[in-house]
Amino acid sequence: MQVEYPKNSWTEKFLLLDLLEGLKTTLRELFKPKVTIRYPEERMEPADRFRGMFKFSYDRCIACKLCAVACPIDIIYIDVHDDMIEEGGKKKKVKVLDRYDIDVKRCMFCALCEEACPTKPKSIWLTTKTYELASYDRNDLYFNMQQLEYWEDRPKYTGLPEDESVAALEGDRKLIAGGTTEHR
């Protein structure tokens, strides 16, 4: 036995209520005042829990290497040597931090290095509220210990790099639509 379902009329196929439900967000946002920021002259302040550029404190760091171990993509490079100091007539072995480098171009800002740090207050933290790290050179995104410690603000935009050899080549060649170059 075959069951026959009633055929939908054209009003059931296309209801105006479905269309209005879809446009509800659009209509609600249409009459709200718009927020426009004239970037880069004006900048928004990030939220309090924003994970921005690293900040590092050499004085707080105990050279335990836990941040490097906690990093899932191994971008923290630490070199440590042991030094003997005399304290109260006794010799004491102390770890001395030689190198603390971070390869920021590969960082995913997960803050696992900050969570792994055992010092109170933390010797590395990600809440500097700096979000402008764009650079024309990848080597500018490799930060050493001194750069991380004295990090104040975003890098200043200096414009496009001027390369006279590229400008001379562009004047001598003509670009063809296929992407190849032809000499004049």
Side-chain angles (χ1 to χ4, degrees):
M1 180 170 155
Q2 219 173 14
V3 179
E4 289 188 30
Y5 294 103
K7 292 188 177 182
N8 292 336
S9 65
W10 68 274
T11 57
E12 292 174 354
K13 289 181 183 176
F14 180 75
L15 284 176
L16 193 58
L17 294 176
D18 293 338
L19 179 66
L20 292 176
E21 183 68 29
L23 289 174
K24 182 170 67 173
T25 304
T26 304
L27 293 173
R28 184 174 55 233
E29 296 293 323
L30 184 65
F31 299 107
K32 284 187 179 178
K34 309 303 182 264
V35 178
T36 304
I37 298 205
R38 300 187 63 198
Y39 184 84
E41 290 85 19
E42 299 173 12
R43 290 178 172 82
M44 290 184 71
E45 183 71 21
D48 289 333
R49 295 192 55 153
F50 175 75
R51 293 180 189 161
M53 179 56 192
F54 294 94
K55 186 80 170 170
F56 175 73
S57 175
Y58 179 79
D59 297 330
R60 296 180 196 163
C61 185
I62 58 174
C64 63
K65 299 185 181 181
L66 287 176
C67 54
V69 171
C71 182
I73 51 180
D74 298 328
I75 62 164
I76 300 176
Y77 307 103
I78 300 175
D79 288 338
V80 177
H81 77 273
D82 293 331
D83 201 11
M84 298 295 281
I85 62 168
E86 193 169 320
E87 189 175 290
K90 297 181 180 178
K91 289 193 174 190
K92 186 178 178 182
K93 190 164 105 174
V94 177
K95 290 182 181 179
V96 178
L97 189 63
D98 294 326
R99 173 184 175 205
Y100 192 95
D101 297 346
I102 297 180
D103 191 4
V104 178
K105 68 181 173 252
R106 293 178 30 213
C107 183
M108 58 184 175
F109 297 96
C110 63
L112 291 176
C113 56
E114 182 180 357
E115 291 177 21
C117 184
T119 60
K120 300 287 183 208
K122 305 284 186 189
S123 63
I124 185 167
W125 61 98
L126 284 147
T127 53
T128 58
K129 299 191 184 230
T130 301
Y131 53 89
E132 296 171 318
L133 294 174
S135 175
Y136 287 104
D137 187 15
R138 288 184 180 187
N139 295 329
D140 291 343
L141 297 175
Y142 189 87
F143 293 96
N144 62 21
M145 185 171 24
Q146 288 78 22
Q147 291 170 322
L148 290 169
E149 188 164 9
Y150 299 112
W151 180 266
E152 291 300 324
D153 199 11
R154 65 181 176 83
K156 302 296 182 211
Y157 176 71
T158 58
L160 292 172
E162 290 296 325
D163 193 7
E164 289 132 18
S165 61
V166 173
L169 273 174
E170 287 175 358
D172 190 36
R173 294 182 179 185
K174 181 182 174 185
L175 189 63
I176 299 176
T180 60
T181 57
E182 176 183 290
H183 288 285
R184 288 185 189 174

PDB file of all heavy atoms in Angstrom, residues 51-88:
ATOM      1  N   ARG A  51      45.233  38.463  24.781  1.00  0.00           N
ATOM      2  CA  ARG A  51      46.574  37.890  24.736  1.00  0.00           C
ATOM      3  C   ARG A  51      47.365  38.607  23.660  1.00  0.00           C
ATOM      4  O   ARG A  51      47.245  38.310  22.486  1.00  0.00           O
ATOM      5  CB  ARG A  51      46.513  36.401  24.420  1.00  0.00           C
ATOM      6  CG  ARG A  51      45.879  35.594  25.508  1.00  0.00           C
ATOM      7  CD  ARG A  51      45.873  34.144  25.110  1.00  0.00           C
ATOM      8  NE  ARG A  51      45.074  33.375  26.035  1.00  0.00           N
ATOM      9  CZ  ARG A  51      44.590  32.199  25.771  1.00  0.00           C
ATOM     10  NH1 ARG A  51      44.806  31.643  24.609  1.00  0.00           N
ATOM     11  NH2 ARG A  51      43.884  31.562  26.659  1.00  0.00           N
ATOM     12  N   GLY A  52      48.185  39.528  24.071  1.00  0.00           N
ATOM     13  CA  GLY A  52      48.976  40.316  23.127  1.00  0.00           C
ATOM     14  C   GLY A  52      50.415  39.854  23.091  1.00  0.00           C
ATOM     15  O   GLY A  52      50.722  38.686  23.328  1.00  0.00           O
ATOM     16  N   MET A  53      51.301  40.782  22.805  1.00  0.00           N
ATOM     17  CA  MET A  53      52.724  40.485  22.698  1.00  0.00           C
ATOM     18  C   MET A  53      53.296  40.080  24.052  1.00  0.00           C
ATOM     19  O   MET A  53      52.820  40.511  25.093  1.00  0.00           O
ATOM     20  CB  MET A  53      53.439  41.725  22.159  1.00  0.00           C
ATOM     21  CG  MET A  53      54.908  41.583  22.008  1.00  0.00           C
ATOM     22  SD  MET A  53      55.328  40.202  20.963  1.00  0.00           S
ATOM     23  CE  MET A  53      57.045  40.108  21.296  1.00  0.00           C
ATOM     24  N   PHE A  54      54.357  39.272  24.016  1.00  0.00           N
ATOM     25  CA  PHE A  54      55.005  38.803  25.238  1.00  0.00           C
ATOM     26  C   PHE A  54      55.682  39.933  25.990  1.00  0.00           C
ATOM     27  O   PHE A  54      56.119  40.901  25.412  1.00  0.00           O
ATOM     28  CB  PHE A  54      56.101  37.788  24.891  1.00  0.00           C
ATOM     29  CG  PHE A  54      55.601  36.530  24.297  1.00  0.00           C
ATOM     30  CD1 PHE A  54      55.548  36.381  22.927  1.00  0.00           C
ATOM     31  CD2 PHE A  54      55.195  35.492  25.088  1.00  0.00           C
ATOM     32  CE1 PHE A  54      55.107  35.215  22.363  1.00  0.00           C
ATOM     33  CE2 PHE A  54      54.740  34.324  24.537  1.00  0.00           C
ATOM     34  CZ  PHE A  54      54.701  34.182  23.171  1.00  0.00           C
ATOM     35  N   LYS A  55      55.783  39.756  27.272  1.00  0.00           N
ATOM     36  CA  LYS A  55      56.605  40.601  28.136  1.00  0.00           C
ATOM     37  C   LYS A  55      57.388  39.636  29.014  1.00  0.00           C
ATOM     38  O   LYS A  55      56.869  38.626  29.461  1.00  0.00           O
ATOM     39  CB  LYS A  55      55.713  41.516  28.973  1.00  0.00           C
ATOM     40  CG  LYS A  55      56.446  42.526  29.786  1.00  0.00           C
ATOM     41  CD  LYS A  55      56.850  43.700  28.962  1.00  0.00           C
ATOM     42  CE  LYS A  55      57.364  44.779  29.896  1.00  0.00           C
ATOM     43  NZ  LYS A  55      57.981  45.847  29.215  1.00  0.00           N
ATOM     44  N   PHE A  56      58.649  39.925  29.242  1.00  0.00           N
ATOM     45  CA  PHE A  56      59.527  39.026  29.974  1.00  0.00           C
ATOM     46  C   PHE A  56      60.275  39.801  31.045  1.00  0.00           C
ATOM     47  O   PHE A  56      60.663  40.946  30.830  1.00  0.00           O
ATOM     48  CB  PHE A  56      60.518  38.376  28.993  1.00  0.00           C
ATOM     49  CG  PHE A  56      61.556  37.518  29.641  1.00  0.00           C
ATOM     50  CD1 PHE A  56      61.220  36.291  30.150  1.00  0.00           C
ATOM     51  CD2 PHE A  56      62.867  37.943  29.741  1.00  0.00           C
ATOM     52  CE1 PHE A  56      62.168  35.488  30.741  1.00  0.00           C
ATOM     53  CE2 PHE A  56      63.827  37.155  30.327  1.00  0.00           C
ATOM     54  CZ  PHE A  56      63.477  35.927  30.827  1.00  0.00           C
ATOM     55  N   SER A  57      60.501  39.173  32.201  1.00  0.00           N
ATOM     56  CA  SER A  57      61.262  39.789  33.281  1.00  0.00           C
ATOM     57  C   SER A  57      62.449  38.895  33.628  1.00  0.00           C
ATOM     58  O   SER A  57      62.276  37.776  34.128  1.00  0.00           O
ATOM     59  CB  SER A  57      60.381  39.993  34.510  1.00  0.00           C
ATOM     60  OG  SER A  57      61.163  40.477  35.574  1.00  0.00           O
ATOM     61  N   TYR A  58      63.648  39.387  33.369  1.00  0.00           N
ATOM     62  CA  TYR A  58      64.865  38.633  33.658  1.00  0.00           C
ATOM     63  C   TYR A  58      65.030  38.435  35.165  1.00  0.00           C
ATOM     64  O   TYR A  58      65.506  37.384  35.616  1.00  0.00           O
ATOM     65  CB  TYR A  58      66.076  39.371  33.078  1.00  0.00           C
ATOM     66  CG  TYR A  58      67.379  38.691  33.343  1.00  0.00           C
ATOM     67  CD1 TYR A  58      67.775  37.599  32.575  1.00  0.00           C
ATOM     68  CD2 TYR A  58      68.221  39.115  34.368  1.00  0.00           C
ATOM     69  CE1 TYR A  58      68.983  36.956  32.823  1.00  0.00           C
ATOM     70  CE2 TYR A  58      69.420  38.488  34.610  1.00  0.00           C
ATOM     71  CZ  TYR A  58      69.796  37.404  33.835  1.00  0.00           C
ATOM     72  OH  TYR A  58      70.980  36.770  34.082  1.00  0.00           O
ATOM     73  N   ASP A  59      64.655  39.420  35.955  1.00  0.00           N
ATOM     74  CA  ASP A  59      64.833  39.346  37.408  1.00  0.00           C
ATOM     75  C   ASP A  59      63.953  38.276  38.041  1.00  0.00           C
ATOM     76  O   ASP A  59      64.327  37.661  39.038  1.00  0.00           O
ATOM     77  CB  ASP A  59      64.528  40.704  38.049  1.00  0.00           C
ATOM     78  CG  ASP A  59      65.482  41.773  37.566  1.00  0.00           C
ATOM     79  OD1 ASP A  59      66.639  41.433  37.242  1.00  0.00           O
ATOM     80  OD2 ASP A  59      65.069  42.946  37.490  1.00  0.00           O
ATOM     81  N   ARG A  60      62.773  38.050  37.492  1.00  0.00           N
ATOM     82  CA  ARG A  60      61.856  37.062  38.058  1.00  0.00           C
ATOM     83  C   ARG A  60      62.135  35.645  37.564  1.00  0.00           C
ATOM     84  O   ARG A  60      61.729  34.679  38.200  1.00  0.00           O
ATOM     85  CB  ARG A  60      60.417  37.416  37.697  1.00  0.00           C
ATOM     86  CG  ARG A  60      59.946  38.710  38.270  1.00  0.00           C
ATOM     87  CD  ARG A  60      58.525  38.943  37.849  1.00  0.00           C
ATOM     88  NE  ARG A  60      58.134  40.326  38.040  1.00  0.00           N
ATOM     89  CZ  ARG A  60      57.093  40.877  37.476  1.00  0.00           C
ATOM     90  NH1 ARG A  60      56.336  40.181  36.675  1.00  0.00           N
ATOM     91  NH2 ARG A  60      56.800  42.133  37.702  1.00  0.00           N
ATOM     92  N   CYS A  61      62.775  35.499  36.423  1.00  0.00           N
ATOM     93  CA  CYS A  61      62.978  34.189  35.805  1.00  0.00           C
ATOM     94  C   CYS A  61      63.973  33.361  36.612  1.00  0.00           C
ATOM     95  O   CYS A  61      65.052  33.840  36.968  1.00  0.00           O
ATOM     96  CB  CYS A  61      63.470  34.354  34.368  1.00  0.00           C
ATOM     97  SG  CYS A  61      63.611  32.789  33.485  1.00  0.00           S
ATOM     98  N   ILE A  62      63.617  32.107  36.898  1.00  0.00           N
ATOM     99  CA  ILE A  62      64.484  31.213  37.658  1.00  0.00           C
ATOM    100  C   ILE A  62      65.146  30.183  36.751  1.00  0.00           C
ATOM    101  O   ILE A  62      65.763  29.233  37.229  1.00  0.00           O
ATOM    102  CB  ILE A  62      63.708  30.520  38.794  1.00  0.00           C
ATOM    103  CG1 ILE A  62      62.535  29.725  38.238  1.00  0.00           C
ATOM    104  CG2 ILE A  62      63.255  31.530  39.827  1.00  0.00           C
ATOM    105  CD1 ILE A  62      61.804  28.885  39.274  1.00  0.00           C
ATOM    106  N   ALA A  63      65.025  30.332  35.443  1.00  0.00           N
ATOM    107  CA  ALA A  63      65.645  29.480  34.424  1.00  0.00           C
ATOM    108  C   ALA A  63      65.262  28.021  34.593  1.00  0.00           C
ATOM    109  O   ALA A  63      66.096  27.123  34.479  1.00  0.00           O
ATOM    110  CB  ALA A  63      67.162  29.660  34.434  1.00  0.00           C
ATOM    111  N   CYS A  64      63.990  27.750  34.835  1.00  0.00           N
ATOM    112  CA  CYS A  64      63.529  26.379  35.026  1.00  0.00           C
ATOM    113  C   CYS A  64      63.178  25.690  33.710  1.00  0.00           C
ATOM    114  O   CYS A  64      63.027  24.475  33.681  1.00  0.00           O
ATOM    115  CB  CYS A  64      62.315  26.356  35.945  1.00  0.00           C
ATOM    116  SG  CYS A  64      60.887  27.227  35.270  1.00  0.00           S
ATOM    117  N   LYS A  65      63.030  26.436  32.646  1.00  0.00           N
ATOM    118  CA  LYS A  65      62.710  25.947  31.305  1.00  0.00           C
ATOM    119  C   LYS A  65      61.320  25.331  31.184  1.00  0.00           C
ATOM    120  O   LYS A  65      61.024  24.640  30.217  1.00  0.00           O
ATOM    121  CB  LYS A  65      63.746  24.935  30.810  1.00  0.00           C
ATOM    122  CG  LYS A  65      65.136  25.468  30.688  1.00  0.00           C
ATOM    123  CD  LYS A  65      66.031  24.412  30.081  1.00  0.00           C
ATOM    124  CE  LYS A  65      67.446  24.909  29.956  1.00  0.00           C
ATOM    125  NZ  LYS A  65      68.320  23.914  29.348  1.00  0.00           N
ATOM    126  N   LEU A  66      60.442  25.551  32.148  1.00  0.00           N
ATOM    127  CA  LEU A  66      59.096  24.990  32.076  1.00  0.00           C
ATOM    128  C   LEU A  66      58.270  25.632  30.967  1.00  0.00           C
ATOM    129  O   LEU A  66      57.429  24.972  30.357  1.00  0.00           O
ATOM    130  CB  LEU A  66      58.374  25.143  33.417  1.00  0.00           C
ATOM    131  CG  LEU A  66      58.838  24.224  34.528  1.00  0.00           C
ATOM    132  CD1 LEU A  66      58.110  24.533  35.816  1.00  0.00           C
ATOM    133  CD2 LEU A  66      58.636  22.781  34.135  1.00  0.00           C
ATOM    134  N   CYS A  67      58.518  26.896  30.675  1.00  0.00           N
ATOM    135  CA  CYS A  67      57.777  27.552  29.602  1.00  0.00           C
ATOM    136  C   CYS A  67      58.148  26.954  28.251  1.00  0.00           C
ATOM    137  O   CYS A  67      57.291  26.767  27.385  1.00  0.00           O
ATOM    138  CB  CYS A  67      57.998  29.050  29.616  1.00  0.00           C
ATOM    139  SG  CYS A  67      59.723  29.531  29.576  1.00  0.00           S
ATOM    140  N   ALA A  68      59.407  26.615  28.063  1.00  0.00           N
ATOM    141  CA  ALA A  68      59.841  26.006  26.806  1.00  0.00           C
ATOM    142  C   ALA A  68      59.270  24.598  26.651  1.00  0.00           C
ATOM    143  O   ALA A  68      58.926  24.180  25.552  1.00  0.00           O
ATOM    144  CB  ALA A  68      61.357  25.970  26.731  1.00  0.00           C
ATOM    145  N   VAL A  69      59.168  23.873  27.753  1.00  0.00           N
ATOM    146  CA  VAL A  69      58.600  22.526  27.713  1.00  0.00           C
ATOM    147  C   VAL A  69      57.092  22.593  27.457  1.00  0.00           C
ATOM    148  O   VAL A  69      56.548  21.760  26.731  1.00  0.00           O
ATOM    149  CB  VAL A  69      58.901  21.780  29.031  1.00  0.00           C
ATOM    150  CG1 VAL A  69      58.159  20.475  29.113  1.00  0.00           C
ATOM    151  CG2 VAL A  69      60.384  21.555  29.180  1.00  0.00           C
ATOM    152  N   ALA A  70      56.421  23.587  28.010  1.00  0.00           N
ATOM    153  CA  ALA A  70      54.970  23.704  27.850  1.00  0.00           C
ATOM    154  C   ALA A  70      54.556  24.177  26.470  1.00  0.00           C
ATOM    155  O   ALA A  70      53.424  23.956  26.057  1.00  0.00           O
ATOM    156  CB  ALA A  70      54.415  24.663  28.903  1.00  0.00           C
ATOM    157  N   CYS A  71      55.461  24.809  25.740  1.00  0.00           N
ATOM    158  CA  CYS A  71      55.125  25.329  24.410  1.00  0.00           C
ATOM    159  C   CYS A  71      54.864  24.170  23.451  1.00  0.00           C
ATOM    160  O   CYS A  71      55.759  23.358  23.215  1.00  0.00           O
ATOM    161  CB  CYS A  71      56.252  26.219  23.894  1.00  0.00           C
ATOM    162  SG  CYS A  71      55.870  26.944  22.295  1.00  0.00           S
ATOM    163  N   PRO A  72      53.671  24.085  22.866  1.00  0.00           N
ATOM    164  CA  PRO A  72      53.359  22.940  21.997  1.00  0.00           C
ATOM    165  C   PRO A  72      54.074  22.970  20.650  1.00  0.00           C
ATOM    166  O   PRO A  72      54.185  21.942  19.993  1.00  0.00           O
ATOM    167  CB  PRO A  72      51.846  23.034  21.817  1.00  0.00           C
ATOM    168  CG  PRO A  72      51.504  24.449  22.068  1.00  0.00           C
ATOM    169  CD  PRO A  72      52.518  24.969  23.049  1.00  0.00           C
ATOM    170  N   ILE A  73      54.573  24.118  20.217  1.00  0.00           N
ATOM    171  CA  ILE A  73      55.229  24.189  18.907  1.00  0.00           C
ATOM    172  C   ILE A  73      56.716  24.534  19.018  1.00  0.00           C
ATOM    173  O   ILE A  73      57.344  24.832  18.020  1.00  0.00           O
ATOM    174  CB  ILE A  73      54.497  25.191  17.985  1.00  0.00           C
ATOM    175  CG1 ILE A  73      54.291  26.518  18.663  1.00  0.00           C
ATOM    176  CG2 ILE A  73      53.211  24.621  17.503  1.00  0.00           C
ATOM    177  CD1 ILE A  73      53.592  27.540  17.811  1.00  0.00           C
ATOM    178  N   ASP A  74      57.264  24.476  20.221  1.00  0.00           N
ATOM    179  CA  ASP A  74      58.707  24.630  20.469  1.00  0.00           C
ATOM    180  C   ASP A  74      59.293  25.899  19.853  1.00  0.00           C
ATOM    181  O   ASP A  74      60.230  25.846  19.063  1.00  0.00           O
ATOM    182  CB  ASP A  74      59.476  23.410  19.964  1.00  0.00           C
ATOM    183  CG  ASP A  74      59.074  22.145  20.679  1.00  0.00           C
ATOM    184  OD1 ASP A  74      58.731  22.235  21.867  1.00  0.00           O
ATOM    185  OD2 ASP A  74      59.084  21.075  20.039  1.00  0.00           O
ATOM    186  N   ILE A  75      58.772  27.045  20.241  1.00  0.00           N
ATOM    187  CA  ILE A  75      59.303  28.302  19.718  1.00  0.00           C
ATOM    188  C   ILE A  75      60.082  29.084  20.763  1.00  0.00           C
ATOM    189  O   ILE A  75      60.590  30.149  20.467  1.00  0.00           O
ATOM    190  CB  ILE A  75      58.171  29.189  19.159  1.00  0.00           C
ATOM    191  CG1 ILE A  75      57.189  29.557  20.251  1.00  0.00           C
ATOM    192  CG2 ILE A  75      57.484  28.532  18.002  1.00  0.00           C
ATOM    193  CD1 ILE A  75      56.291  30.695  19.906  1.00  0.00           C
ATOM    194  N   ILE A  76      60.178  28.565  21.973  1.00  0.00           N
ATOM    195  CA  ILE A  76      60.928  29.232  23.038  1.00  0.00           C
ATOM    196  C   ILE A  76      62.274  28.524  23.179  1.00  0.00           C
ATOM    197  O   ILE A  76      62.339  27.321  23.397  1.00  0.00           O
ATOM    198  CB  ILE A  76      60.159  29.205  24.368  1.00  0.00           C
ATOM    199  CG1 ILE A  76      58.818  29.916  24.204  1.00  0.00           C
ATOM    200  CG2 ILE A  76      60.981  29.853  25.474  1.00  0.00           C
ATOM    201  CD1 ILE A  76      57.934  29.863  25.422  1.00  0.00           C
ATOM    202  N   TYR A  77      63.345  29.296  23.016  1.00  0.00           N
ATOM    203  CA  TYR A  77      64.704  28.752  23.069  1.00  0.00           C
ATOM    204  C   TYR A  77      65.408  29.323  24.302  1.00  0.00           C
ATOM    205  O   TYR A  77      65.544  30.534  24.429  1.00  0.00           O
ATOM    206  CB  TYR A  77      65.472  29.114  21.801  1.00  0.00           C
ATOM    207  CG  TYR A  77      64.738  28.730  20.546  1.00  0.00           C
ATOM    208  CD1 TYR A  77      64.073  29.691  19.795  1.00  0.00           C
ATOM    209  CD2 TYR A  77      64.690  27.410  20.124  1.00  0.00           C
ATOM    210  CE1 TYR A  77      63.383  29.340  18.645  1.00  0.00           C
ATOM    211  CE2 TYR A  77      64.008  27.049  18.979  1.00  0.00           C
ATOM    212  CZ  TYR A  77      63.357  28.015  18.242  1.00  0.00           C
ATOM    213  OH  TYR A  77      62.682  27.668  17.113  1.00  0.00           O
ATOM    214  N   ILE A  78      65.860  28.428  25.187  1.00  0.00           N
ATOM    215  CA  ILE A  78      66.482  28.843  26.445  1.00  0.00           C
ATOM    216  C   ILE A  78      67.829  28.142  26.582  1.00  0.00           C
ATOM    217  O   ILE A  78      67.926  26.934  26.412  1.00  0.00           O
ATOM    218  CB  ILE A  78      65.587  28.489  27.650  1.00  0.00           C
ATOM    219  CG1 ILE A  78      64.235  29.190  27.532  1.00  0.00           C
ATOM    220  CG2 ILE A  78      66.272  28.871  28.948  1.00  0.00           C
ATOM    221  CD1 ILE A  78      63.246  28.800  28.600  1.00  0.00           C
ATOM    222  N   ASP A  79      68.857  28.928  26.896  1.00  0.00           N
ATOM    223  CA  ASP A  79      70.177  28.389  27.225  1.00  0.00           C
ATOM    224  C   ASP A  79      70.522  28.833  28.642  1.00  0.00           C
ATOM    225  O   ASP A  79      70.382  30.008  28.989  1.00  0.00           O
ATOM    226  CB  ASP A  79      71.240  28.905  26.255  1.00  0.00           C
ATOM    227  CG  ASP A  79      71.117  28.283  24.888  1.00  0.00           C
ATOM    228  OD1 ASP A  79      70.531  27.195  24.778  1.00  0.00           O
ATOM    229  OD2 ASP A  79      71.612  28.896  23.924  1.00  0.00           O
ATOM    230  N   VAL A  80      70.971  27.866  29.445  1.00  0.00           N
ATOM    231  CA  VAL A  80      71.266  28.109  30.857  1.00  0.00           C
ATOM    232  C   VAL A  80      72.621  27.480  31.181  1.00  0.00           C
ATOM    233  O   VAL A  80      72.963  26.432  30.651  1.00  0.00           O
ATOM    234  CB  VAL A  80      70.172  27.469  31.746  1.00  0.00           C
ATOM    235  CG1 VAL A  80      70.488  27.634  33.207  1.00  0.00           C
ATOM    236  CG2 VAL A  80      68.819  28.046  31.436  1.00  0.00           C
ATOM    237  N   HIS A  81      73.378  28.149  32.037  1.00  0.00           N
ATOM    238  CA  HIS A  81      74.587  27.526  32.573  1.00  0.00           C
ATOM    239  C   HIS A  81      74.569  27.651  34.089  1.00  0.00           C
ATOM    240  O   HIS A  81      73.922  28.542  34.643  1.00  0.00           O
ATOM    241  CB  HIS A  81      75.854  28.133  31.956  1.00  0.00           C
ATOM    242  CG  HIS A  81      76.220  29.475  32.508  1.00  0.00           C
ATOM    243  ND1 HIS A  81      75.714  30.639  32.001  1.00  0.00           N
ATOM    244  CD2 HIS A  81      77.053  29.822  33.520  1.00  0.00           C
ATOM    245  CE1 HIS A  81      76.212  31.660  32.674  1.00  0.00           C
ATOM    246  NE2 HIS A  81      77.020  31.190  33.599  1.00  0.00           N
ATOM    247  N   ASP A  82      75.248  26.726  34.749  1.00  0.00           N
ATOM    248  CA  ASP A  82      75.325  26.729  36.209  1.00  0.00           C
ATOM    249  C   ASP A  82      76.518  27.557  36.641  1.00  0.00           C
ATOM    250  O   ASP A  82      77.604  27.473  36.061  1.00  0.00           O
ATOM    251  CB  ASP A  82      75.458  25.301  36.746  1.00  0.00           C
ATOM    252  CG  ASP A  82      74.204  24.484  36.496  1.00  0.00           C
ATOM    253  OD1 ASP A  82      73.112  25.085  36.450  1.00  0.00           O
ATOM    254  OD2 ASP A  82      74.306  23.253  36.341  1.00  0.00           O
ATOM    255  N   ASP A  83      76.320  28.351  37.682  1.00  0.00           N
ATOM    256  CA  ASP A  83      77.377  29.205  38.210  1.00  0.00           C
ATOM    257  C   ASP A  83      77.444  29.005  39.721  1.00  0.00           C
ATOM    258  O   ASP A  83      76.416  28.802  40.376  1.00  0.00           O
ATOM    259  CB  ASP A  83      77.065  30.663  37.859  1.00  0.00           C
ATOM    260  CG  ASP A  83      78.281  31.550  37.895  1.00  0.00           C
ATOM    261  OD1 ASP A  83      79.400  31.024  37.993  1.00  0.00           O
ATOM    262  OD2 ASP A  83      78.101  32.787  37.808  1.00  0.00           O
ATOM    263  N   MET A  84      78.630  29.055  40.253  1.00  0.00           N
ATOM    264  CA  MET A  84      78.819  28.899  41.698  1.00  0.00           C
ATOM    265  C   MET A  84      78.992  30.286  42.308  1.00  0.00           C
ATOM    266  O   MET A  84      79.862  31.047  41.895  1.00  0.00           O
ATOM    267  CB  MET A  84      80.051  28.052  41.993  1.00  0.00           C
ATOM    268  CG  MET A  84      79.974  26.635  41.445  1.00  0.00           C
ATOM    269  SD  MET A  84      78.673  25.664  42.209  1.00  0.00           S
ATOM    270  CE  MET A  84      79.426  25.213  43.725  1.00  0.00           C
ATOM    271  N   ILE A  85      78.166  30.618  43.292  1.00  0.00           N
ATOM    272  CA  ILE A  85      78.313  31.877  44.018  1.00  0.00           C
ATOM    273  C   ILE A  85      78.519  31.560  45.493  1.00  0.00           C
ATOM    274  O   ILE A  85      78.099  30.520  45.990  1.00  0.00           O
ATOM    275  CB  ILE A  85      77.090  32.799  43.823  1.00  0.00           C
ATOM    276  CG1 ILE A  85      75.814  32.160  44.367  1.00  0.00           C
ATOM    277  CG2 ILE A  85      76.914  33.175  42.384  1.00  0.00           C
ATOM    278  CD1 ILE A  85      74.653  33.122  44.476  1.00  0.00           C
ATOM    279  N   GLU A  86      79.184  32.478  46.149  1.00  0.00           N
ATOM    280  CA  GLU A  86      79.435  32.284  47.569  1.00  0.00           C
ATOM    281  C   GLU A  86      78.446  33.138  48.346  1.00  0.00           C
ATOM    282  O   GLU A  86      78.359  34.352  48.162  1.00  0.00           O
ATOM    283  CB  GLU A  86      80.870  32.667  47.910  1.00  0.00           C
ATOM    284  CG  GLU A  86      81.290  32.199  49.272  1.00  0.00           C
ATOM    285  CD  GLU A  86      82.771  32.356  49.484  1.00  0.00           C
ATOM    286  OE1 GLU A  86      83.541  32.087  48.559  1.00  0.00           O
ATOM    287  OE2 GLU A  86      83.128  32.756  50.596  1.00  0.00           O
ATOM    288  N   GLU A  87      77.704  32.471  49.213  1.00  0.00           N
ATOM    289  CA  GLU A  87      76.672  33.163  49.978  1.00  0.00           C
ATOM    290  C   GLU A  87      76.769  32.720  51.437  1.00  0.00           C
ATOM    291  O   GLU A  87      76.503  31.564  51.768  1.00  0.00           O
ATOM    292  CB  GLU A  87      75.285  32.814  49.404  1.00  0.00           C
ATOM    293  CG  GLU A  87      74.166  33.652  49.982  1.00  0.00           C
ATOM    294  CD  GLU A  87      72.848  33.332  49.291  1.00  0.00           C
ATOM    295  OE1 GLU A  87      72.705  33.684  48.116  1.00  0.00           O
ATOM    296  OE2 GLU A  87      71.984  32.738  49.959  1.00  0.00           O
ATOM    297  N   GLY A  88      77.153  33.630  52.317  1.00  0.00           N
ATOM    298  CA  GLY A  88      77.270  33.318  53.743  1.00  0.00           C
ATOM    299  C   GLY A  88      78.367  32.304  54.045  1.00  0.00           C
ATOM    300  O   GLY A  88      78.219  31.488  54.944  1.00  0.00           O
TER     301      GLY A  88
END
